[in-house]
Amino acid sequence: MTGGRAPSTGRTAMAVWTCAVVAYFVGVTHRTALGVAGVEAIDRFDLSATGLAALSVTQLAVYAGMQIPAGRLLDRFGPRAVITAGSLVMAAGQLVLSLADTVPWALAARVLIGAGDAGLFISAIRLVSEWFPARRVPVMVQITGLIGQSGQLASAIPVAWLLHAQGWGATFGALAAAGVVASVVAFVGIRSSGTVAPAAPTKFVPAVRLAVKPAGTRLGFWSHFVTPFSANVVSLLWGVPFFITAQGRSRAEASLLLTILTLTAMGAGPLVGRFTARHPLRRSWAVLTSCVVTLAAWVLLLVPSTPQPLWVLVVFVIAVGAGGPVSLVGMDFARTSTPAASLGTATGFVNTGGFISTIGAVLAVGVVLQLASPAGATTYSLDAYRLAFSSLLVPWVIGVVGVLHNRRLTRAHLLTQGTVVPPVRDVLERRRRR
């Protein structure tokens, strides 16, 4: 970081961070609300599986596409402006969705939601880096993600309740009002610490190239690519229809499973943050371990050809839910590899990874479901879901290869700076001798 005074951990720092987290919490609720309204969206807009996937993917595609531009805006204008404007744009999107009764208007609403959402999390991360000392940043990032991602609980429980009690219009209208409140909170409560000067008004492409050049930043991208998409596929769109129509679970049980997934992410976050802070040279361990656990969870779920007992579904959502906080290790790679003036752009680039994989995964599941089912079907069999979810092996393999390749490049760069990452066997041998 550059600038005058050191980051503060006093009341002002906590107040600024709290306001950012409130806005992020509301943003995650906006982002995931369609996941609990999938069945209603199919009926309201007369959608097929591919159409429902396209509705979700539109928002994710805009979000991912706006990450680097949002990061550049963050470097130029600061977190307060980006969070305030983003919250208002998301509120506008939810208002349009509350009134929409045709697919084009629904797509337009999802575009607004994705665009407004793009800068919220990376702005909150920037504020953590500004206001808190480096030793606390990994844990604070995880706590930020933990509180923000609990917005999924708001989708799984109160939003789902409101949807069935009051209907589509009232539900998404209430979300629009919540977005306006979040923008007011951000405008009033967020300010810069003064430790980072705004980026110079340079051309976009050279600024992006400079931000993504470090191998550690690219390692962050692939770490973020490979770890969260399984949980996102379940929570954002396909979890509820799969649990209800293919596994024979009630709507209450499906909501419970989404809640467990979110609570797992919340519980794992601080543990991942502590590991990252204490073992910065071993951060990729957390990423690769999560990959192995996630693959095992999908195998456990998909190999049997009959609906599974509830405890198996619980184990599954716990395993994939932990991938969410592990993805934030990618943000820490960006923080330690990028100059402070370019951190917003680098963080946006890293954050793109998980949403590129999520877009591909959500869309692939929808396409395979459509191909594996009779023409015109809107309810899909367990065998169709098993085939569709098997397509997730493709982004998993791509992501693991990306992590391993860029970890090698990052360690080679560290070696040129005099930092040696010892083999695991040497570390274990030293500990045994001690």
Side-chain angles (χ1 to χ4, degrees):
M1 261 187 240
T2 60
R5 61 188 179 81
S8 167
T9 57
R11 293 181 180 177
T12 302
M14 293 302 298
V16 170
W17 174 77
T18 298
C19 292
V21 168
V22 167
Y24 179 47
F25 174 91
V26 175
V28 173
T29 305
H30 288 320
R31 181 194 306 169
T32 57
L34 188 64
V36 299
V39 175
E40 289 77 7
I42 288 173
D43 293 337
R44 184 178 181 89
F45 301 112
D46 192 24
L47 297 173
S48 64
T50 305
L52 181 60
L55 199 61
S56 182
V57 164
T58 295
Q59 182 258 323
L60 295 174
V62 173
Y63 180 96
M66 285 294 295
Q67 279 301 295
I68 295 177
R72 188 61 186 156
L73 290 172
L74 174 59
D75 289 333
R76 288 283 290 117
F77 300 107
R80 182 192 189 197
V82 172
I83 294 178
T84 300
S87 297
L88 282 175
V89 172
M90 293 192 83
Q94 295 290 28
L95 181 61
V96 171
L97 190 60
S98 72
L99 302 173
D101 55 7
T102 62
V103 172
W105 279 110
L107 290 173
R110 298 298 288 177
V111 167
L112 290 173
I113 293 169
D117 190 15
L120 298 189
F121 180 63
I122 61 176
S123 296
I125 296 306
R126 173 65 169 266
L127 286 168
V128 169
S129 298
E130 285 189 30
W131 282 98
F132 294 89
R135 68 181 184 277
R136 294 189 61 190
V137 168
V139 175
M140 290 302 298
V141 166
Q142 289 291 345
I143 294 175
T144 301
L146 182 156
I147 298 174
Q149 291 302 319
S150 64
Q152 293 186 35
L153 293 178
S155 295
I157 302 174
V159 171
W161 174 85
L162 185 61
L163 181 66
H164 298 113
Q166 299 297 326
W168 183 278
T171 299
F172 289 97
L175 288 171
V180 173
V181 172
S183 70
V184 172
V185 170
F187 183 79
V188 171
I190 293 176
R191 65 185 179 88
S192 175
S193 68
T195 59
V196 180
T202 56
K203 292 184 178 179
F204 178 77
V205 173
V208 172
R209 286 177 178 171
L210 180 64
V212 305
K213 183 178 180 180
T217 301
R218 297 195 300 275
L219 175 57
F221 170 89
W222 287 109
S223 298
H224 200 275
F225 178 99
V226 75
T227 45
F229 69 83
S230 289
N232 289 341
V233 164
V234 173
S235 64
L236 292 179
L237 189 61
W238 293 117
V240 170
F242 170 70
F243 294 139
I244 293 175
T245 63
Q247 292 292 332
R249 296 295 158 187
S250 67
R251 187 171 296 276
E253 289 173 324
S255 294
L256 173 64
L257 289 167
L258 290 188
T259 301
I260 293 172
L261 186 150
T262 303
L263 290 176
T264 299
M266 294 172 65
L271 299 177
V272 175
R274 290 192 64 185
F275 178 85
T276 303
R278 295 182 62 182
H279 305 284
L281 297 179
R282 303 295 178 184
R283 289 172 287 184
S284 60
W285 284 12
V287 175
L288 294 172
T289 300
S290 174
C291 292
V292 172
V293 170
T294 299
L295 179 62
W298 281 113
V299 170
L300 174 69
L301 182 69
L302 299 181
V303 168
S305 59
T306 56
Q308 296 303 293
L310 185 61
W311 73 265
V312 172
L313 301 180
V314 169
V315 171
F316 168 75
V317 296
I318 289 173
V320 301
V326 174
S327 70
L328 299 188
V329 174
M331 303 299 180
D332 204 58
F333 282 124
R335 178 184 65 85
T336 57
S337 305
T338 310
S342 301
L343 183 57
T345 305
T347 304
F349 168 70
V350 169
N351 205 31
T352 302
F355 288 89
I356 290 175
S357 62
T358 297
I359 290 167
V362 168
L363 191 56
V365 170
V367 169
V368 176
L369 276 177
Q370 197 76 29
L371 293 174
S373 303
T378 57
T379 300
Y380 306 100
S381 68
L382 175 57
D383 285 341
Y385 272 110
R386 292 172 67 213
L387 185 61
F389 285 141
S390 297
S391 67
L392 300 183
L393 183 62
V394 175
W396 186 91
V397 170
I398 292 172
V400 169
V401 171
V403 168
L404 293 174
H405 174 67
N406 286 278
R407 182 175 72 164
R408 180 179 58 82
L409 295 178
T410 301
R411 290 183 173 181
H413 175 70
L414 289 173
L415 185 61
T416 64
Q417 296 181 326
T419 300
V420 178
V421 182
V424 176
R425 62 180 179 273
D426 293 349
V427 175
L428 295 176
E429 179 64 20
R430 284 201 303 267
R431 290 185 178 180
R432 186 188 66 80
R433 291 175 179 175
R434 289 173 185 171

